[in-house]
Amino acid sequence: MITVDFFLYSKFGQMILAVVAFLVVVAVLLLLARVADRIAGRSRTWWMVLLFGGPALALLGVGLIYPAIRTTLMSFMDRSSDEWVGLANYEWVFTNPDSLQSFINTFFWVALVPTVATGVGLLYAIIIDQSRFEKVAKTLLFLPMAISFVGAGIIWKFVYEYRGAAQEQIGLLNAIITTLGFEPVRFLQDAPWNTFFLIAVMIWIQAGFAMVLLSAAIKAIPADIVEAARLDGVGAWQMFRNITVPSIRPTLVVVVTTITIATLKIFDIPRTMTGARFDTQVLANMMYDQSFTFGNAGTGSALAVVIFVLVIPIVVFNIRQMIKNREVRGA
């Protein structure tokens, strides 16, 4: 006999409840849409706004605005969020040696990943443009994008794996190195180079993303401009500098800013490959450790606010560039 406990504690029962709830919500929305469609005049517009914009705004408030406000308030409270401690948590963030190390490592991530990934993607897009094997070449570089950061971290952890000189090496790179007669290398254990080996994984993932967008932007350059430049005897470097880059600048901005935001929030790769040990700590992982491993909600929230503040200027710059490009096209 099916009881209430079946739906509350059984996974299958919970799945049935979820499906039923989804169908009920869809039915209610369709009913409201039908009612709104029958209301004529100006009120109809407001009904449609409330119908389709209301749920989205409600989810935005519950899932983004309220947590942001709550996290900001918690950053001024103690580890259990019981008492106000003022700026003590921020003082810890900017003075603790481990926290400062996470800032330094995050700086290297943000400085290198967007620059190198975008550079590799742009160079690759130019080289394979209109080549015979363009589709296959694009697929090969884009494939890492289909892998999650955790999956990529596990793959590259085995590539970098290190064992003592007397043991058989199961890591791909160390197997090659020892075969050539050299000593195995501690890729993930020796600082500061281990941070750069982790950064290489992120570049490997993001280069495909940059290549796809930049390749599309290059193909959108008007053919008559390219032909006119060639007739004027413009060389390859001048073509790249004076034609290609200015034409794809809006796409370059989007690619760089998107990769930068993703890099500022990087968590999975250091967590999976080193557990953020051996001086590979980054801000997002430090936030996780403080909040959940050490149970210090105050410093964890302060770190979350710092990451949020670092992301805001990039988002604002991206939006301003999009508005500026839209105005130029409209003119």
Side-chain angles (χ1 to χ4, degrees), residues 21-282:
F22 174 77
L23 294 176
V24 170
V25 170
V26 171
V28 171
L29 289 176
L30 290 175
L31 178 62
L32 291 176
R34 186 174 182 84
V35 172
D37 190 56
R38 292 183 177 181
I39 300 175
R42 185 178 179 85
S43 60
R44 176 179 176 179
T45 302
W46 288 105
W47 269 100
M48 298 303 288
V49 170
L50 290 174
L51 175 63
F52 294 104
L57 292 175
L59 290 174
L60 184 65
V62 174
L64 180 63
I65 297 176
Y66 171 74
I69 296 174
R70 176 63 177 163
T71 301
T72 303
L73 293 176
M74 290 173 61
S75 69
F76 297 102
M77 304 176 74
D78 62 3
R79 62 185 302 118
S80 57
S81 300
D82 292 328
E83 298 179 0
W84 297 96
V85 294
L87 297 175
N89 293 321
Y90 290 96
E91 181 182 355
W92 183 93
V93 167
F94 292 107
T95 57
N96 182 269
D98 292 334
S99 179
L100 293 177
Q101 183 64 51
S102 71
F103 273 99
I104 295 172
N105 291 339
T106 303
F107 169 78
F108 284 126
W109 278 83
V110 173
L112 292 176
V113 173
T115 305
V116 179
T118 303
V120 171
L122 177 58
L123 180 63
Y124 197 85
I126 293 173
I127 292 174
I128 67 172
D129 186 44
Q130 297 181 354
S131 65
R132 184 177 179 182
F133 303 102
E134 181 178 357
K135 293 183 179 179
V136 176
K138 284 184 176 179
T139 302
L140 291 176
L141 190 64
F142 188 75
L143 276 176
M145 280 294 297
I147 306 174
S148 67
F149 286 173
V150 173
I154 293 173
I155 292 171
W156 280 90
K157 185 176 181 180
F158 282 108
V159 173
Y160 290 144
E161 183 67 26
Y162 164 83
R163 290 187 176 183
Q167 296 178 295
E168 181 182 0
Q169 300 297 324
I170 63 171
L172 177 62
L173 290 180
N174 274 321
I176 296 173
I177 290 172
T178 53
T179 301
L180 296 175
F182 298 99
E183 292 294 320
V185 179
R186 292 160 51 95
F187 289 103
L188 298 179
Q189 289 79 22
D190 293 341
W193 298 108
N194 50 3
T195 294
F196 297 101
F197 290 125
L198 296 183
I199 289 173
V201 179
M202 186 68 167
I203 294 172
W204 178 69
I205 297 173
Q206 295 295 333
F209 166 76
M211 178 271 299
V212 169
L213 294 187
L214 295 175
S215 177
I218 290 172
K219 291 184 180 299
I221 299 175
D224 54 348
I225 296 178
V226 177
E227 291 176 2
R230 288 175 179 170
L231 290 174
D232 290 340
V234 175
W237 170 248
Q238 290 179 327
M239 177 75 75
F240 172 77
R241 181 181 177 182
N242 299 322
I243 304 296
T244 303
V245 172
S247 300
I248 66 173
R249 186 176 181 276
T251 306
L252 274 172
V253 171
V254 171
V255 169
V256 172
T257 52
T258 302
I259 296 177
T260 301
I261 292 172
T263 305
L264 269 172
K265 301 184 295 182
I266 191 64
F267 167 82
D268 314 67
I269 293 175
R271 190 75 184 181
T272 304
M273 298 184 68
T274 63
R277 297 172 297 166
F278 314 117
D279 291 336
T280 59
Q281 185 69 277
V282 290

